[in-house]
Amino acid sequence: MSENNFKAQPGRNVVVVGTQWGDEGKGKLVDWLTETAKGVVRFQGGHNAGHTLVINGVKTALHLIPSGIMRPEVKCYIGNGVVLSVTKLLEEIEGLEKAGVEVRSRLRISEACPLILPFHAAIDIAREAAKTRAGTEKIGTTGRGIGPAYEDKIARRALRVQDLKHPERFATKLRELLELHNHALTTYLGSADMQWDAALSPFIVDGKIQFEPVFEQAMAQAEQIKPMMADVSRELNEAHKAGANLLFEGAQGTLLDVDHGTYPFVTSSNCVAGNAAAGAGVGPGLLHYVLGITKAYCTRVGGGPFPTELEWEKEGTPGYHMATVGAERGTTTGRSRRCGWFDAALLKRSAQVNGLSGLCITKLDVLDGLTELKLCVGYELDGESIDLLPMGADEIARCVPVYETLPGWTETSVGATRYADLPANAQAYLRRIEEVTGVPIHVVSTSPDRDHTILVQHPYAA
Ligand code: GDP
Ligand code: IMO
Ligand code: MG
């Protein structure tokens, strides 16, 4: 960074969002940017996220804890927009502590976060199983209970982090929730005939979630997380007033956004930049710069339309190259990620709904060795040409991509840290992405490692 004479503007904040279907490399970039940031906040999603950091060759996978945790001087916040499984949070904290990372004194959790409890995961899994039985297309959720937890929040009946401080209130609300959800589980979702994994089976008898084990576990966990409960909105606003640089860490990606994505094949939260304000408790005026993390090709895990999808299981194909060289396997569920060509029409939709200030292109190195590259610049839909991804899964599924073909490169870009060191054809590929999408590329990532990053213009620079 120093070679660019970079100086951070005090009080300037950056939002990091995924512009495709998630897994663009947000975690790596958040970790890299926290060399400058003093605080990192997650503002939506839950432990469906899987953000991978590689520091000096050592890999860390994070699901709930913000990707600033590997820098001891950085404070981490879980904002009110996140749905929180305390069980998973404590597991993640213990994993980091075993690796020598101090977490508890640096992590602040909003008391307003809705809780994810065992019945949310059971409903999520039972619904997907019911779809399989009915022969309808599954969403391909992570099975973590994300959707059902957001449903309880919007229905104004959720148990929240603050309820953990009030056992009687917690018990009353839990009983009401169990009555409702056990009815749905047994009557509509066939839960009594299902097999449950080791994490859920201690809570379920005859397809019904039991009050006692859920309540006892929650009360025992409450003691552990009480010291981390905080008024996150207040702390972020105070940090900002003191001149700190903050980072808002998005999870999932724009095409998984519940409003702007390929609905209904989406997650249950708003993943777009605008939600960083609502999900953290700051005003929109504090979101100064939006960095769109964008893979140099496309991937998607789970069901739903994907116009530029390639054959990715057949050896010798470009899709197989992306899947294997890019190690495209989910960080959270271990599922294979579907792979396809770069989609600039999709990116235009992302740029529009996020108000992107700049792009970070990741995994450029994965394309090394492909003889030619295709870039989707628009689609044909019902005989008409369009240049912007339509909204809605049905229309997207009918889109036929229109491609430009660009030459690939044989040289390696792995680990490059200067733009000028990239192969000429790689530079031409990046230039074409900028031209077609109209968004400038400010950062390029050339390996999983923190240090293998090319800085064109720093998001925190004045
Ligand atoms: P996130 O969910 O957006 O944080 O992304 P994930 O961590 O789920 O997936 C991105 C994967 O690509 C991780 O395994 C990263 O270590 C890896 N990665 C990130 N940037 C690069 C890059 O520039 N090159 C390569 N080869 N891998 C990268
Ligand atoms: P990160 O933050 C990729 C996908 C699931 C499924 C859909 C709905 O690592 O980019 P959910 O469990 O959220 O109800 O599943 O969303 N999905 C992700 N795909 N990366 C993620 O997170 C994802 N989080 C959810 O595969 O298609
Ligand atoms: Mg991921």
Side-chain angles (χ1 to χ4, degrees):
M1 272 187 234
S2 47
E3 68 187 28
N4 292 280
N5 294 324
F6 158 70
K7 194 168 181 304
Q9 181 182 329
R12 183 174 167 91
N13 305 320
V14 170
V15 187
V16 165
V17 289
T19 61
Q20 296 155 322
W21 282 285
D23 302 325
E24 299 90 348
K26 298 176 291 293
K28 165 177 168 167
L29 265 295
V30 170
D31 167 62
W32 179 76
L33 281 165
T34 46
E35 184 174 7
T36 307
K38 288 285 163 283
V40 183
V41 54
R42 275 280 307 271
F43 57 88
Q44 48 73 226
H47 63 295
N48 49 348
H51 298 176
T52 315
L53 283 45
V54 180
I55 301 162
N56 300 327
V58 180
K59 203 170 177 173
T60 305
L62 299 170
H63 299 283
L64 268 168
I65 295 179
S67 303
I69 200 72
M70 301 311 281
R71 301 205 189 244
E73 67 285 4
V74 173
K75 265 205 154 167
C76 291
Y77 303 86
I78 296 182
N80 55 277
V82 170
V83 281
L84 188 79
S85 159
V86 181
T87 305
K88 292 295 161 192
L89 178 73
L90 291 173
E91 276 177 25
E92 202 165 312
I93 291 176
E94 282 157 21
L96 285 163
E97 284 173 342
K98 275 198 195 115
V101 181
E102 164 55 26
V103 182
R104 290 172 209 252
S105 63
R106 296 167 47 214
L107 182 64
R108 312 295 282 153
I109 303 166
S110 168
E111 294 194 3
C113 291
L115 294 174
I116 300 186
L117 292 161
F119 49 88
H120 293 121
I123 295 167
D124 195 356
I125 293 164
R127 275 195 195 139
E128 291 279 89
K131 285 202 165 90
T132 306
R133 287 197 299 276
T136 48
E137 192 176 357
K138 293 201 296 186
I139 291 170
T141 71
T142 59
R144 302 296 194 262
I146 306 297
Y150 276 116
E151 287 167 32
D152 276 351
K153 164 179 165 162
I154 299 304
R156 297 168 291 193
R157 58 177 178 241
L159 275 157
R160 309 206 296 175
V161 165
Q162 59 190 217
D163 293 320
L164 289 165
K165 295 196 289 192
H166 306 285
E168 279 182 24
R169 185 163 97 197
F170 192 98
T172 307
K173 287 177 81 173
L174 178 61
R175 279 205 178 85
E176 284 168 15
L177 280 173
L178 287 181
E179 203 176 319
L180 174 75
H181 292 314
N182 278 334
H183 179 69
L185 274 166
T186 50
T187 314
Y188 298 112
L189 296 170
S191 58
D193 300 322
M194 289 181 61
Q195 302 292 319
W196 303 97
D197 65 13
L200 282 178
S201 51
F203 299 97
I204 308 185
V205 176
D206 295 335
K208 286 189 180 174
I209 306 283
Q210 304 298 297
F211 174 87
E212 289 299 333
V214 177
F215 182 72
E216 276 163 23
Q217 186 194 53
M219 290 304 115
Q221 292 171 340
E223 295 313 310
Q224 289 208 59
I225 75 154
K226 268 184 205 164
M228 293 178 270
M229 291 183 195
D231 183 345
V232 166
S233 164
R234 179 183 175 143
E235 292 193 14
L236 289 174
N237 278 281
E238 284 177 358
H240 173 70
K241 277 193 199 119
N245 294 112
L246 300 174
L247 197 151
F248 296 83
E249 176 180 5
Q252 289 81 53
T254 304
L255 273 291
L256 289 171
D257 180 282
V258 67
D259 289 305
H260 299 287
T262 49
Y263 190 89
F265 301 98
V266 292
T267 191
S268 298
S269 63
N270 286 114
C271 316
V272 293
N275 192 34
V282 303
L286 293 201
L287 313 179
H288 302 120
Y289 176 105
V290 182
L291 183 65
I293 312 296
T294 307
K295 220 176 258 193
Y297 49 99
C298 281
T299 62
R300 170 162 208 171
V301 55
F306 180 177
T308 63
E309 183 171 10
L310 288 163
E311 163 82 77
W312 45 268
E313 283 173 307
K314 197 163 143 213
E315 228 171 297
T317 60
Y320 185 82
H321 174 104
M322 293 167 189
T324 48
V325 179
E328 294 298 353
R329 213 158 250 290
T331 311
T332 300
T333 57
R335 292 177 292 176
S336 294
R337 297 177 184 145
R338 302 151 67 189
C339 296
W341 294 120
F342 191 92
D343 188 340
L346 175 163
L347 205 63
K348 280 188 187 173
R349 167 72 60 193
S350 273
Q352 178 175 292
V353 297
N354 286 298
L356 297 181
S357 315
L359 291 176
C360 167
I361 301 292
T362 61
K363 303 190 94 161
L364 184 67
D365 54 293
V366 172
L367 301 180
D368 291 356
L370 285 174
T371 43
E372 60 175 32
L373 302 168
K374 288 191 197 278
L375 194 69
C376 168
V377 293
Y379 313 101
E380 300 241 319
L381 180 60
D382 300 331
E384 299 222 353
S385 286
I386 52 169
D387 67 349
L388 182 72
L389 187 83
M391 292 182 75
D394 293 352
E395 273 190 319
I396 296 172
R398 289 189 289 111
C399 278
V400 179
V402 175
Y403 288 113
E404 279 182 15
T405 304
L406 285 87
W409 53 92
T410 49
E411 311 93 306
T412 177
S413 69
V414 177
T417 53
R418 293 186 328 151
Y419 200 88
D421 293 342
L422 290 175
N425 284 350
Q427 292 188 26
Y429 182 67
L430 295 178
R431 261 199 310 278
R432 190 65 192 136
I433 289 174
E434 283 185 316
E435 279 165 12
V436 181
T437 61
V439 189
I441 294 172
H442 285 167
V443 187
V444 182
S445 167
T446 57
S447 103
D449 200 277
R450 178 194 266 177
D451 297 328
H452 295 157
T453 308
I454 298 171
L455 175 62
V456 179
Q457 187 175 314
H458 203 291
Y460 282 110

